[in-house]
Amino acid sequence: MTDLTPNNTFLITGIIFITIAVIGQSKLGFIEINPGFFGRFLALVIGISSLLYATGLLNFSGETVDLLRTYLAGLIEQSINSINDLLQGS
């Protein structure tokens, strides 16, 4: 039997929650699922985020965060310089 890695777990969880969000009210054997609107929306959000995490699109490593922080700091500095130039030129 295969081991359940975190990616497999999030993939299975995402598929289950997407199924609950799409089907809505259903009866699975002796279990009845009736999540309502908020439950279906929450299942959709959890399902999509689980699938994104399983595919690696939602993983943020330390390098990614540092690169994003550096990029945003550069954009802010550039914006402040542009605003200062506009204010001094008027």
Side-chain angles (χ1 to χ4, degrees), residues 15-33:
I15 291 171
I16 289 171
F17 277 106
I18 293 289
T19 304
I20 289 172
V22 171
I23 293 175
Q25 184 177 358
S26 64
K27 194 168 190 176
L28 301 171
F30 59 90
I31 300 172
E32 185 173 343
I33 300 173

Side-chain angles (χ1 to χ4, degrees), residues 5-48:
T5 62
N7 282 347
N8 289 343
T9 305
F10 280 107
L11 183 65
I12 293 168
T13 304
I15 291 171
I16 289 171
F17 277 106
I18 293 289
T19 304
I20 289 172
V22 171
I23 293 175
Q25 184 177 358
S26 64
K27 194 168 190 176
L28 301 171
F30 59 90
I31 300 172
E32 185 173 343
I33 300 173
N34 188 8
F37 173 75
F38 180 70
R40 290 178 75 175
F41 180 73
L42 186 62
L44 182 66
V45 170
I46 292 172
I48 289 173

Side-chain angles (χ1 to χ4, degrees), residues 39-61:
R40 290 178 75 175
F41 180 73
L42 186 62
L44 182 66
V45 170
I46 292 172
I48 289 173
S49 61
S50 294
L51 289 176
L52 287 175
Y53 185 80
T55 58
L57 297 176
L58 202 60
N59 289 340
F60 291 118
S61 65

Side-chain angles (χ1 to χ4, degrees), residues 47-80:
I48 289 173
S49 61
S50 294
L51 289 176
L52 287 175
Y53 185 80
T55 58
L57 297 176
L58 202 60
N59 289 340
F60 291 118
S61 65
E63 294 175 6
T64 306
V65 173
D66 289 339
L67 181 65
L68 184 63
R69 185 179 302 144
T70 305
Y71 176 71
L72 288 176
L75 282 178
I76 291 171
E77 184 179 338
Q78 184 180 8
S79 298
I80 289 174

